Amino acid sequence: ANAAPGFAPVPTPQSQFLAPPMNRKSEKNLIVGLDIGTSKIVAIVGEHEPGQPVEIMGIGSHPSHGLKRGVVVDIESTVQSIQRAIEEAELMAGCEIRSVYAGIAGSHIRCLNSHGIVPIRDREVTEADREHVIEAARAVAIPADQERLYLEPQDYVIDGQEGIRHPIGMSGVRLEARVHLVTGAMSAAANIRKCVSRCGLRVDDLVPQQIASSFAVLTQDERDLGVCLVDIGAGTTDIAIFTQGAIRHTASLPIAGDQVTNDIAVALRTPTAHAEEIKVKYACALAQLAHAEETIQVPSVGDRPPRRLARQTLAEVVQPRYEELFSLAQAELRRSGYESLVAAGIVLTGGAAKMEGVVDLAEEVFHMPVRLGTPQHVTGLADVVSNQIHATGVGLLLYGSRQQLRGPGRGVEAVGGVWDRLSSWFKGNF
């Protein structure tokens, strides 16, 4: 039999499943990030050792057909895509995945900044005091159809002294906390959990995608100076704003890479699948960067022969949509009230940010420094995931590694039980 792509032939059919990789380390330290996107679903397996960067052990990717603008619209298609991505990641990493940190996106994402106050029990702040003040800040009314997805302390105040990031051990009478709270639609979150559970997996945590991406692509200096992250996916553009080292604002815009693809399909009269391929290979977000003599072949609809068009024509279709996208992001930044505080400028990431001219056009619109953010802070298959497309997946791993410092890893099992779970999945779905 032929070997699967990326794998060497093995002497017996069983050996590739029974023999773990020679360098396999403790399974309990493995973490799995599941990026459930509009155009693709990616599962990334990483190993975490305290004090060491996360090491990427395996990755699986499969086209996504069950989501629209970040929200599940077809359970069956999404389940199948998740299953394929998980199987591929399991095979590469030589393990069984039991639970995942999953991303969530969509225009239903909301945010608010809250405030809590508690007395300090023994005149010295303890971990219990910190937890109590976080709970007090968390106890804020939200709409009945929304649920809390993410909470992060911004800073603490002790007896009027502001700007405290680590209050444990400090003396005082009154402790205050300012926190950033992200909520999302209960139905959207429930559908993601349902899809994951039908694959025989557990969701360790649901993380807003822009929060996850920020762990992967932002530096601490940028967070301290003030930065706006713009994560341009296929279905949504997700925004996260940081100042003074803490997150201040999150938002999601319902315009992203799919709209660019649709514009190309309509303007060039070509099937959507070919429009996506043309966008990835030849598109340019700034028409002046495309030379007039450059031409591309454009497949036609039906039996009509393909045509050749100037690449500049393609750029003239793409540029207005990106201008609109960046203008909406700028309006959201202005509405947040932090536009004058993001001294480090804009960081673009996500699959739709991988296009010639995007950074140049963004600088023209935002009138700020702009850079392209690629995933960092990881080792192992870092060259595989050092791509804007994997910003959310890598960020979910980094978020998971931070969470697992608080308890033992539980996301991955040894490879021996894979077939038991697969057989139970097939029994439950067919």
Side-chain angles (χ1 to χ4, degrees):
N2 292 328
F7 292 85
V10 290
T12 62
Q14 294 87 355
S15 64
Q16 63 176 320
F17 303 114
L18 298 181
M22 294 299 290
N23 63 349
R24 169 49 75 236
K25 301 178 184 176
S26 172
E27 300 287 351
K28 70 179 182 179
N29 294 324
L30 296 183
I31 310 162
V32 182
L34 184 65
D35 176 9
I36 304 174
T38 303
S39 65
K40 68 181 184 333
I41 291 176
V42 179
I44 304 179
V45 181
E47 180 174 38
H48 170 62
E49 293 284 353
Q52 300 293 324
V54 174
E55 182 180 0
I56 307 295
M57 310 300 291
I59 182 171
S61 180
H62 195 272
S64 172
H65 302 294
L67 287 93
K68 184 175 183 180
R69 293 184 179 175
V71 177
V72 175
V73 295
D74 186 330
I75 294 282
E76 291 299 328
S77 295
T78 305
V79 167
Q80 291 176 16
S81 297
I82 292 174
Q83 191 68 35
R84 299 292 92 79
I86 289 291
E87 288 170 356
E88 191 177 322
E90 285 177 331
L91 191 59
M92 182 179 290
C95 62
E96 178 188 1
I97 295 171
R98 290 187 300 176
S99 64
V100 298
Y101 290 91
I104 183 170
S107 55
H108 60 90
I109 298 290
R110 301 281 186 271
C111 78
L112 59 97
N113 294 315
S114 182
H115 184 247
I117 307 175
V118 297
I120 300 172
R121 290 182 180 177
D122 299 319
R123 298 297 179 95
E124 183 176 299
V125 180
T126 64
E127 180 61 30
D129 292 322
R130 195 188 69 83
E131 290 177 0
H132 289 153
V133 76
I134 293 296
E135 283 304 312
R138 182 190 185 97
V140 60
I142 61 173
D145 62 344
Q146 295 267 306
E147 70 171 78
R148 294 172 181 84
L149 296 174
Y150 182 81
L151 182 146
E152 181 176 316
Q154 295 170 329
D155 63 2
Y156 299 89
V157 181
I158 298 178
D159 297 346
Q161 177 62 51
E162 299 185 348
I164 299 170
R165 295 190 186 179
H166 306 290
I168 305 296
M170 298 188 69
S171 298
V173 175
R174 185 182 65 182
L175 176 65
E176 303 174 49
R178 300 187 182 111
V179 303
H180 183 74
L181 185 64
V182 182
T183 67
M186 279 186 176
S187 57
N191 284 331
I192 288 180
R193 291 191 183 100
K194 182 182 295 184
C195 291
V196 173
S197 66
R198 283 188 53 179
C199 295
L201 305 171
R202 183 178 67 253
V203 177
D204 285 332
D205 214 345
L206 268 184
V207 186
Q209 290 192 357
Q210 59 268 58
I211 302 289
S213 296
S214 72
F215 284 106
V217 304
L218 296 183
T219 66
Q220 188 59 47
D221 287 343
E222 287 173 329
R223 292 168 183 262
D224 291 339
L225 272 175
V227 67
C228 176
L229 174 70
V230 181
D231 185 350
I232 314 172
T236 60
T237 295
D238 303 310
I239 297 170
I241 300 170
F242 295 79
T243 66
Q244 298 178 340
I247 186 164
R248 306 293 175 178
H249 184 79
T250 52
S252 187
L253 306 176
I255 175 173
D258 279 354
Q259 277 73 29
V260 179
T261 302
N262 292 337
D263 288 350
I264 294 171
V266 172
L268 304 188
R269 298 189 299 280
T270 189
T272 303
H274 291 299
E276 177 68 23
E277 186 178 345
I278 289 170
K279 180 183 78 172
V280 171
K281 287 185 177 180
Y282 307 112
C284 178
L286 203 55
Q288 66 198 51
L289 296 180
H291 300 295
E293 62 272 12
E294 292 181 286
T295 62
I296 58 172
Q297 182 166 298
V298 180
S300 298
V301 180
D303 296 330
R304 298 178 183 87
R307 297 152 289 137
R308 293 205 71 83
L309 293 175
R311 184 168 176 248
Q312 201 166 50
T313 303
L314 174 63
E316 288 167 357
V317 173
V318 171
Q319 181 173 336
R321 182 64 78 177
Y322 272 94
E323 286 176 342
E324 179 190 11
L325 190 158
F326 291 142
S327 296
L328 289 172
Q330 185 185 41
E332 184 65 39
L333 175 58
R334 190 168 292 139
R335 188 161 44 248
S336 74
Y338 294 101
E339 184 179 21
S340 62
L341 300 177
V342 289
I346 310 294
V347 175
L348 301 179
T349 193
K354 277 189 62 181
M355 184 185 294
E356 183 187 357
V358 164
V359 171
D360 302 286
L361 180 62
E363 287 183 338
E364 286 187 11
V365 174
F366 285 103
H367 303 293
M368 290 182 184
V370 179
R371 77 170 178 90
L372 210 52
T374 56
Q376 46 195 312
H377 318 304
V378 294
T379 61
L381 300 173
D383 55 332
V384 176
V385 298
S386 61
N387 186 321
Q388 293 85 359
I389 291 174
H390 297 311
T392 298
V394 172
L396 288 167
L397 278 189
L398 295 170
Y399 171 84
S401 71
R402 190 176 77 163
Q403 295 301 102
Q404 291 207 349
L405 288 174
R406 303 172 185 174
R410 61 188 190 279
V412 188
E413 289 179 333
V415 72
V418 173
W419 301 113
D420 293 336
R421 183 167 64 77
L422 280 180
S423 63
S424 67
W425 180 82
F426 278 111
K427 287 177 184 175
N429 288 271
F430 296 98

